[in-house]
């Protein structure tokens, strides 16, 4: 149950970070590095990242980012599959 709360909190944080980066982008300010956005997505913030990308219309046209994002989702899916299979 605690893992669920951690994931919800993490995804909310990731959603906020994507929104904050979009705001910085609109104001032509220094941005949050893509490696940070992808890193927090990788550690479990995929749902928050997807929602942030769709709601804020952020990073949805940048193919290099989307490709890296898709690889992260694929790696997470493989990890979940093997975790559920063996545990």
């Amino acid at each position: 149950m605690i893992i669920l709360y951690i994931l919800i909190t993490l995804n909310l944080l990731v959603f906020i970070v994507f929104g904050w980066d979009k705001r910085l982008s609109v104001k032509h300010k220094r941005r949050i590095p893509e490696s940070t956005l992808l890193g927090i997505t990788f550690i479990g913030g995929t749902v928050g990242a997807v929602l942030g990308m769709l709601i804020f219309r952020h990073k949805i046209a940048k193919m290099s980012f989307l490709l890296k994002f898709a690889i992260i989702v694929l790696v997470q899916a493989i990890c979940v599959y093997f975790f559920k299979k063996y545990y």
Side-chain angles (χ1 to χ4, degrees):
M1 192 61 148
I2 188 84
I3 292 174
L4 180 64
Y5 292 130
I6 291 170
L7 284 174
I8 290 171
T9 304
L10 178 62
N11 280 283
L12 180 60
L13 174 69
V14 172
F15 177 77
I16 291 168
V17 169
F18 269 75
W20 183 253
D21 190 48
K22 177 64 177 193
R23 181 177 169 90
L24 292 172
S25 172
V26 169
K27 293 186 172 251
H28 304 289
K29 302 263 179 149
R30 186 171 177 181
R31 308 270 306 279
I32 298 169
E34 279 188 6
S35 60
T36 301
L37 296 174
L38 291 169
I40 59 177
T41 298
F42 181 75
I43 61 172
T46 307
V47 174
V50 169
L51 290 174
M53 290 167 67
L54 294 174
I55 290 173
F56 301 119
R57 301 195 44 81
H58 189 50
K59 298 285 189 186
I60 57 175
K62 190 166 184 185
M63 282 299 152
S64 63
F65 184 85
L66 292 175
L67 178 62
K68 293 171 194 169
F69 186 82
I71 291 169
I72 286 172
V73 172
L74 181 62
V75 168
Q76 287 177 333
I78 291 168
C79 289
V80 167
Y81 171 77
F82 283 111
F83 182 77
K84 288 188 113 189
K85 185 176 181 178
Y86 295 109
Y87 292 102

